[in-house]
Amino acid sequence: NEITVDWRALAFAIVVALVTSFLTILAPLSHSLRTAPNEVLTEGVRASGSHRSRRLSQGLVVIEIALAFTLLAASSLLIAEINRLTRVNPGFDPNHLVTFQMTITDPRYRNGEKMLVYREQLQHALAALPGVKSAGLTTTIPLTGCCFDTSMLPEGRTLPRETVLSTSFQVVTPGYFGAMRIPLLAGRILTEHDAGQKVPPVMINETAAKRFWAGAKAVGA
């Protein structure tokens, strides 16, 4: 859904940076404290001290370069992954899309038929607003949770008695597909005339068609 900065990860990174800085200071500081000032002025001791310092410095440089390459590789992989995620097609177009959640508590609409009439009037009123190209209602919008579950048996398939196929579904009005700009791959879009039928028509996504019909024609089945 979102890419945000986790304050716990940020706090951990800051603490690690501070501890690392403190530890890198300890080595030269410890070496300086162990060396007497008058000995530093002598040529022999200075040569010996310089040799030890060079070995320590070279070791730190090697570790620094190794860590730098590790961070560079990890950062490159992270950037590539974020770039890939931004190009994933979710199946709908989220641009210029406004959604809101609504709960109807007015006792006048406890009757099912009155509720259906109110919802239809609401959808038409929203669609008539300036700048609105399409409006629809749904029980759940994508990426905000799931929906209802049901078992199903595709026509023409015989399954073992223990096998139960299940799928998730949501209830939508015909304007939903236009508002979400969900492309139609086969069949037809739902219409207002489909409401109230004894066996209501359904639309499935491409994943369900491949999973339950395995290459066969799913439209009408």
Side-chain angles (χ1 to χ4, degrees):
N1 284 345
E2 298 178 357
I3 298 176
T4 58
V5 177
D6 189 337
W7 65 268
R8 292 167 298 183
L10 180 61
F12 176 77
I14 293 175
V15 170
V16 169
L18 293 175
V19 171
T20 304
S21 301
F22 178 73
L23 292 178
T24 53
I25 293 173
L26 285 181
L29 182 62
S30 175
H31 174 69
S32 300
L33 292 176
R34 290 200 309 267
T35 305
N38 60 336
E39 292 182 354
V40 176
L41 299 177
T42 63
E43 185 68 26
V45 175
R46 188 176 64 181
S48 176
S50 299
H51 180 67
R52 289 197 302 267
S53 298
R54 279 199 302 272
R55 290 179 57 186
L56 180 60
S57 300
Q58 289 172 355
L60 290 175
V61 169
V62 170
I63 295 174
E64 246 180 74
I65 294 175
L67 288 174
F69 273 103
T70 302
L71 290 174
L72 182 62
S75 301
S76 301
L77 290 174
L78 181 61
I79 293 173
E81 182 66 15
I82 292 176
N83 183 53
R84 188 187 66 83
L85 288 175
T86 58
R87 298 186 180 187
V88 171
N89 181 12
F92 63 94
D93 186 1
N95 296 309
H96 307 290
L97 181 67
V98 177
T99 65
F100 64 91
Q101 189 174 8
M102 181 181 65
T103 302
I104 302 175
T105 58
D106 194 319
R108 292 179 299 173
Y109 300 106
R110 289 178 179 174
N111 179 278
E113 292 184 1
K114 290 184 177 180
M115 176 67 78
L116 289 176
V117 172
Y118 176 75
R119 288 177 176 172
E120 184 176 350
Q121 292 175 345
L122 174 63
Q123 179 174 328
H124 290 317
L126 291 173
L129 292 174
V132 176
K133 293 184 177 180
S134 183
L137 305 178
T138 178
T139 51
T140 310
I141 60 175
L143 306 178
T144 61
C146 200
C147 24
F148 305 104
D149 292 323
T150 184
S151 57
M152 62 178 295
L153 178 61
E155 288 184 355
R157 290 185 59 182
T158 55
L159 300 172
R161 186 170 299 178
E162 310 84 30
T163 303
V164 177
L165 299 179
S166 64
T167 186
S168 300
F169 72 94
Q170 62 193 77
V171 182
V172 302
T173 60
Y176 171 80
F177 300 98
M180 301 292 287
R181 291 186 285 277
I182 298 176
L184 179 68
L185 302 181
R188 67 173 178 86
I189 294 290
L190 300 177
T191 67
E192 298 287 352
H193 302 291
D194 294 323
Q197 293 192 26
K198 187 176 181 180
V199 181
V202 297
M203 295 184 67
I204 62 174
N205 61 8
E206 189 175 13
T207 300
K210 292 179 180 178
R211 179 178 299 171
F212 298 118
W213 278 270
K217 188 177 180 181
V219 176

